[in-house]
Amino acid sequence: MTPSRSLLWATLGVSLPALPAAFYPALHELWLVLFWLLCGVLLLDALLVRKAPNITLSRSLRHSIPVGVWSKVGLRLDNPGARPLRLWLHDHHPGGFECEAMPAALDLPAHSTGYVEYRVKPRRRGDAAFSGCDLIVTSPLGFWHHRHFHALAEGVKVFPDFQEIGRYALLATDHRLSQMGVRRRQRRGQGNDFHQLREYRAGDALRQIDWKASSRYRKLISKEYQDERDQQVLFLLDCGRRMRHEEAGRVHLDQALNALLLLAHVAARQGDAVGLLTFGGADRWLPPRKGAGVVQDLLSRTYDLSAGQEAADFLLAARQLMSLQPRRALVVVMTNTRDEDHTDLIQAIQLLKRRHLVVVANLRESILDEVLERPVSDLDTALQFHTVNGYLEQRRKSLDNLRHQGVLTLDLQAPQLPVALVNGYLMIKASGTL
C-alpha cells in the first residue's frame, strides 16, 4: 500500500498549522484535534482499501499470434459491488513482447462492466505466457493506493509471420503473382501428366496431336500436359549458430522459416508432398506428406525453433536425410555459410546428389552489400571495400563449384529468399528435371 498525492497534500495541510501552534499554546489543542482526526481518517481509508475489490477479471486474446506483428489483447472487468472503483491495471504480458497502452487507468462505476484494450508484439517465436494482472485500487477517500494481483495464467503460441503466404494465396486466386515477383512460366504441353484435349494452336508439336480425336472431330486436336504431380519437396533447415544473425530485428532463421512456409504452400497447391528435417540445433523430422494441412503441420512443428550455439554439421545431416528419405526428392538446403563451412557443405551435397535434386539457398548478410555501395573516401573504407570484395569473390567461387556439380544455388539476402525459392521451384517443375 502506497500513499497517494492527496495524502501528501493533506499531511502538508496539517503540518503547516503546527508552526504557529508552537508559539501560541491556545492553538496547540486545536492542532492536536486536527492531527488525530486526520490520522483516524487515514486509518479508516487504509482499512477500506486493503480489502480486495469484488472484481471479476477476464482476458481475451488469440492463442496463436505471428511474430513481429501487433496483436490486440482485451481485458474485461466486472464490478458487482455497490462502490465505484478507480483503478490502474497492468497485465503481466510475456517479457519478450513489446507493449502499447499498458498500464491503463479505468473508472469503474458500481454494478458495471469496463473494458481495456492494448496491443502486444512478440519479438521471438515460441511458447509464451500471460501470468496475471495487477490492479492498483484507489481508496474511497483517495489517500491510498493498494496493489492486488489477480492470477490469470494463459499460454500463447508465437508462430512465424505467415502474411507472405496469405498474400501469395490471394494473388494466386487473382492471377496476379507477378506483383510479388513470382514468374509463372508458360508451358506448351511439355509435362508428363496428361491434362486435357484442346484445339490445335499454332506452335504445337506434332507429337501433341491426337490423331484419333482429330479424325473424330474433323479438326486438329492437341493433347495438353501439365507438370508432374505427386513429387516430393524436402527442406533441410540449418538451425546452427550462423542462423542467429539478426537484421532489422529479425534473425535469419525466422526469415528462412517464412520462405519455407511459402514454398510449402506453393508445392502443396501443385500436388507435391512436403517434408522437413532440421539440423544444427533441435533435430526434427517431418516426413513428406500431401494436402492442404501440410503447412499447418509445418507451423506447429517449427514455431518454437531457435538457432543453437553450435556450428551445423552438414555431412551428418546429409547422412541422416539419406537414411530417412529413400525416394528421390527436391532437397532445399537453407543455410548461412562461411568459407570454413564450404568443405563440409560440398561433401554433404555430393552425398545428397546421389539420389536427390539439390537446391542450396545460402543467405548473405546485407551489411556486405552495403559496404560495397559506400563511397571509398579514405584508407579505412578502401580496406573495407577490398576485404569484403575478396570475401564475396571467394564465396562466389565456392558456389560456382556447387553449380558445376549440377546444384542450383541461390546467394541472396534474407528478404529476397521467399520469391527466389518459389521461382526456383517453378523453374524446376517446368524443366521436368525432378
Side-chain angles (χ1 to χ4, degrees):
M1 188 164 55
T2 57
S4 68
R5 184 173 298 179
S6 299
L7 187 148
L8 298 179
W9 282 112
T11 303
L12 180 61
V14 172
S15 301
L16 289 178
L19 184 60
F23 297 96
Y24 299 98
L27 298 177
H28 183 68
E29 292 184 1
L30 179 60
W31 179 82
L32 285 176
V33 172
L34 292 174
F35 174 77
W36 288 112
L37 180 61
L38 176 62
C39 289
V41 170
L42 294 180
L43 180 60
L44 177 62
D45 202 28
L47 292 176
L48 291 175
V49 78
R50 284 186 63 85
K51 183 180 178 181
N54 185 19
I55 290 180
T56 303
L57 181 66
S58 60
R59 183 191 297 112
S60 63
L61 76 159
R62 291 186 301 163
H63 293 277
S64 299
I65 59 178
V67 65
V69 177
W70 288 105
S71 300
K72 293 181 180 180
V73 181
L75 293 171
R76 170 175 172 162
L77 298 91
D78 295 303
N79 179 19
R83 181 168 68 89
L85 298 173
R86 286 175 291 171
L87 305 171
W88 279 90
L89 65 152
H90 177 70
D91 198 10
H92 286 212
H93 56 81
F97 285 27
E98 296 181 32
C99 180
E100 284 186 352
M102 187 59 57
L106 179 66
D107 288 327
L108 195 59
H111 307 293
S112 66
T113 300
Y115 298 91
V116 172
E117 188 175 271
Y118 69 100
R119 299 197 308 166
V120 294
K121 182 169 71 172
R123 295 192 294 264
R124 293 288 184 269
R125 293 171 292 99
D127 293 311
F130 292 76
S131 58
C133 188
D134 278 333
L135 293 180
I136 300 178
V137 183
T138 303
S139 61
L141 299 179
F143 292 123
W144 301 99
H145 297 307
H146 192 62
R147 173 182 171 271
H148 300 277
F149 178 73
H150 283 247
L152 192 61
E154 287 188 83
V156 64
K157 297 179 184 296
V158 181
F159 283 92
D161 182 11
F162 34 85
Q163 180 180 3
E164 201 74 36
I165 300 175
R167 184 179 173 214
Y168 174 87
L170 178 63
L171 293 177
T173 303
D174 294 340
H175 305 288
R176 291 185 285 117
L177 291 176
S178 60
Q179 291 187 14
M180 69 179 296
V182 175
R183 298 187 295 273
R184 296 299 298 266
R185 290 167 172 77
Q186 299 296 325
R187 304 187 58 196
R188 304 186 67 86
Q190 294 128 348
N192 296 325
D193 289 351
F194 175 77
H195 180 48
Q196 64 183 2
L197 292 176
R198 57 169 173 78
E199 290 189 17
Y200 176 85
R201 299 173 187 167
D204 286 350
L206 288 178
R207 66 181 180 86
Q208 289 181 240
I209 299 176
D210 189 318
W211 296 106
K212 289 184 179 180
S214 298
S215 62
R216 186 182 308 118
Y217 291 103
R218 298 182 180 277
K219 59 182 177 181
L220 290 178
I221 302 296
S222 293
K223 298 176 181 178
E224 188 174 86
Y225 295 87
Q226 63 183 359
D227 293 331
E228 291 186 32
R229 303 171 72 85
D230 198 26
Q231 295 177 324
Q232 298 197 342
V233 179
L234 194 58
F235 295 99
L236 192 57
L237 179 62
D238 182 359
C239 296
R241 65 187 181 191
R242 305 292 192 203
M243 301 296 282
R244 297 172 63 90
H245 177 75
E246 185 172 342
E247 294 177 344
R250 303 175 68 186
V251 297
H252 271 180
L253 182 59
D254 285 353
Q255 295 170 302
L257 276 175
N258 291 344
L260 182 153
L261 293 170
L262 174 60
L263 182 53
H265 173 78
V266 175
R269 287 175 59 93
Q270 294 287 327
D272 291 339
V274 181
L276 168 71
L277 176 65
T278 64
F279 67 101
D283 296 333
R284 301 184 185 180
W285 165 243
L286 182 66
R289 58 178 298 268
K290 299 173 62 176
V294 66
V295 176
Q296 184 61 41
D297 288 345
L298 286 170
L299 275 171
S300 62
R301 295 292 299 273
T302 60
Y303 79 93
D304 58 344
L305 274 179
S306 59
Q309 299 284 353
E310 300 179 357
D313 191 332
F314 294 96
L315 188 56
L316 178 62
R319 290 170 178 165
Q320 185 179 5
L321 180 61
M322 292 292 286
S323 64
L324 293 171
Q325 179 65 22
R327 179 179 169 181
R328 178 175 171 82
L330 171 63
V331 177
V332 182
V333 182
M334 307 177 74
T335 184
N336 177 355
T337 63
R338 303 289 190 276
D339 290 346
E340 59 268 23
D341 303 322
H342 287 161
T343 300
D344 188 30
L345 177 62
I346 289 174
Q347 292 177 353
I349 298 304
Q350 289 174 343
L351 177 60
L352 292 173
K353 279 181 70 277
R354 297 176 185 175
R355 184 184 304 156
H356 306 292
L357 179 63
V358 183
V359 175
V360 177
N362 198 15
L363 298 180
R364 183 178 70 247
E365 291 84 355
S366 59
I367 186 63
L368 299 174
D369 298 286
E370 293 173 6
V371 170
L372 295 183
E373 293 172 358
R374 295 172 186 169
V376 178
S377 56
D378 52 27
L379 178 61
D380 290 339
T381 55
L383 291 175
Q384 289 179 354
F385 178 85
H386 286 290
T387 301
V388 171
N389 200 38
Y391 168 77
L392 291 178
E393 180 62 28
Q394 184 62 37
R395 184 184 178 99
R396 282 190 287 269
K397 290 180 180 179
S398 300
L399 294 178
D400 285 342
N401 189 9
L402 291 176
R403 293 190 189 100
H404 294 327
Q405 300 181 45
V407 177
L408 176 62
T409 61
L410 301 173
D411 184 24
L412 34 71
Q413 298 179 23
Q416 303 168 336
L417 181 61
V419 171
L421 274 184
V422 174
N423 282 329
Y425 165 78
L426 295 177
M427 180 186 68
I428 291 172
K429 293 287 286 185
S431 65
T433 56
L434 181 55

